[in-house]
Amino acid sequence: MSDTVLRRRALLQGAAGAVAGIAGVAGAASCGGPAQRPAAAPTHQPGVLTPPPDSSAFAAFDVVAADRTGLATLMDRLAVRAAAPHAADLTITLAVGAGLFDARFGLAGQRPAGLQAMPAFPNDVLAEQWSHGDLLVQVCAPQQDAARAVLADLTQVAGTAAKVRWQLDGFRPENGVDAEGRPTTRNLFGFREGAGNPDPRDQAEMDRLVWVGGDDGGPSWTRGGTYQVVRLVRFAGVWNTEPVTRQEAVIGRRKNDGAPLGHSRETEPFDYQADPDGRLIPRDAHIRLANPRVPSTEASRILRRGYSYRLGTDAAGQADEGLIFVCFQRDIERGFATVQRRMAGQPLDRYVLTFGGGYYFVPPDPASFAALLRA
């Protein structure tokens, strides 16, 4: 077995070994406040276009309810809790995985058209205990304790009808906005995240790239929902031994301010017509492969909304930290999957290992989806 395979396996074992310490959520925390009638359901769930606060808690669940009635009861309870009043800037987003539409609950005919289990892409080493899930709960809040408390409460609400499959907390270093008002953060590789994202304030662009429309096929209940991709990506410590010039060539941006190489500022409009040979931005740079900035790739743009994670050190003493990559799109195949295949073999692959995550669908309204289950 090659040294590369051994190193990657050791890296994976270190990441997967931490699941025992965080998969069980003990206790519960009340959201507090007087009982109130939930406001009218929004057209879309929060936590997609909402500016991301500093902290998050993600958990995927396997549904173990005995039948469709039990599943409907579970979704009813989660939907009511998600719609209850919460602290300012706290959002709860509920999503469903492909496994929910297997033979257990008679939902095969209601599966969103583009929903499937996330496959392993080149350079992935997916661990089952960190991948997939029938349900995904995303809680985002200004404080980590608040996100954890609400997730613990939702876990208690689920009771014996669902069990945690994987769980991970996230945070956004230097969380803020760029010069144009788009959310931005700095990842644990030291580079700014968020540049080049579609503008979540642009309704027409969100309708075109994020929200499922009437001409996308699939059951009618999916209109106004979106597909969510989550990728758990561990960063390799060897990155920190590379000179900054090498790091910038791999990413395609300056490390200090996020400006594309050869350009003056992070938000400067640019394309690659004047740099066909990669003299400024290498042809295999991450940003160039992710978004070639030509009309034919415009439809594959995705809305990224990720968080960093940190789990301490593994058995070998290596830092277990990286990125909870999150993106939303109208169609996974046209969006994330196309981008991911375009980046296959990029130099960045040497420094990252995707070990988990999954594909999910965010219903426009969890309560309406719960009602569908009783139809």
Side-chain angles (χ1 to χ4, degrees):
M1 185 176 296
S2 71
D3 289 344
T4 299
V5 172
L6 285 171
R7 285 196 299 270
R8 290 177 65 76
R9 178 167 293 178
L11 185 61
L12 174 62
Q13 288 171 343
V19 72
I22 65 171
V25 179
S30 171
C31 294
Q36 299 180 26
R37 182 181 298 276
T43 303
H44 311 297
Q45 285 196 62
V48 178
L49 306 187
T50 314
D54 291 351
S55 304
S56 64
F58 292 82
F61 293 80
D62 291 329
V63 175
V64 293
D67 52 28
R68 183 162 170 164
T69 299
L71 172 61
T73 299
L74 167 64
M75 294 305 300
D76 278 335
R77 290 173 176 172
L78 292 175
V80 168
R81 181 65 83 195
H86 294 286
D89 299 325
L90 187 148
T91 62
I92 299 171
T93 311
L94 303 179
V96 295
L100 202 65
F101 300 90
D102 60 18
R104 289 173 296 164
F105 307 113
L107 293 173
Q110 296 294 337
R111 183 177 63 85
L115 186 61
Q116 61 174 314
M118 184 178 72
F121 289 87
N123 206 55
D124 290 359
V125 184
L126 300 181
E128 276 297 309
Q129 68 268 40
W130 282 100
S131 305
H132 315 305
D134 295 328
L135 300 175
L136 179 72
V137 177
Q138 170 191 286
V139 182
C140 299
Q143 293 83 33
Q144 193 67 67
D145 287 348
R148 289 173 180 161
V150 171
L151 181 58
D153 180 59
L154 291 165
T155 302
Q156 184 185 49
V157 166
T160 60
K163 61 181 181 180
V164 174
R165 184 179 182 91
W166 61 263
Q167 180 179 334
L168 195 58
D169 292 343
F171 61 100
R172 286 176 64 91
E174 299 183 23
N175 192 29
V177 295
D178 64 19
E180 296 181 351
R182 292 182 176 90
T184 186
T185 180
R186 189 175 294 274
N187 63 36
L188 298 184
F189 272 169
F191 281 77
R192 288 169 63 83
E193 288 267 357
N197 233 3
D199 189 344
R201 300 163 300 181
D202 186 330
Q203 181 177 339
E205 190 162 59
M206 294 301 96
D207 287 343
R208 181 170 57 85
L209 297 175
V210 174
W211 304 120
V212 171
D215 57 348
D216 287 319
S220 60
W221 70 267
T222 62
R223 308 292 187 268
T226 185
Y227 291 92
Q228 181 175 12
V229 174
V230 178
R231 304 266 289 173
L232 309 181
V233 185
R234 186 172 177 181
F235 290 174
V238 68
W239 175 265
N240 296 320
T241 69
E242 299 283 12
V244 171
T245 53
R246 166 62 179 170
Q247 294 178 355
E248 291 179 338
V250 168
I251 300 299
R253 291 185 179 273
R254 290 203 301 257
K255 190 171 185 177
N256 62 341
D257 62 4
L261 297 180
H263 298 270
S264 61
R265 66 184 192 279
E266 182 180 31
T267 57
E268 181 179 344
F270 73 101
D271 58 34
Y272 302 106
Q273 293 184 16
D275 187 27
D277 299 324
R279 183 179 58 86
L280 297 177
I281 300 176
R283 291 175 60 86
D284 58 3
H286 177 71
I287 67 166
R288 190 161 187 160
L289 295 174
N291 183 5
R293 297 176 179 266
V294 294
S296 61
T297 61
E298 175 66 19
S300 64
R301 296 179 70 200
I302 54 180
L303 180 66
R304 291 167 287 129
R305 197 178 186 272
Y307 282 80
S308 295
Y309 82 84
R310 184 172 280 138
L311 289 176
T313 57
D314 61 19
Q318 299 297 312
D320 187 350
E321 60 186 27
L323 177 69
I324 306 173
F325 173 89
V326 179
C327 73
F328 298 94
Q329 58 262 282
R330 188 172 174 174
D331 182 295
I332 291 177
E333 177 58 32
R334 186 170 63 229
F336 168 79
T338 293
V339 173
Q340 191 67 19
R341 286 193 295 268
R342 201 158 55 217
M343 296 190 300
Q346 64 176 328
L348 183 61
D349 286 351
R350 181 187 176 207
Y351 307 99
V352 298
L353 172 66
T354 298
F355 64 90
Y359 288 173
Y360 307 94
F361 186 80
V362 179
D365 174 22
S368 296
F369 179 72
L372 171 73
L373 300 173
R374 298 190 183 280

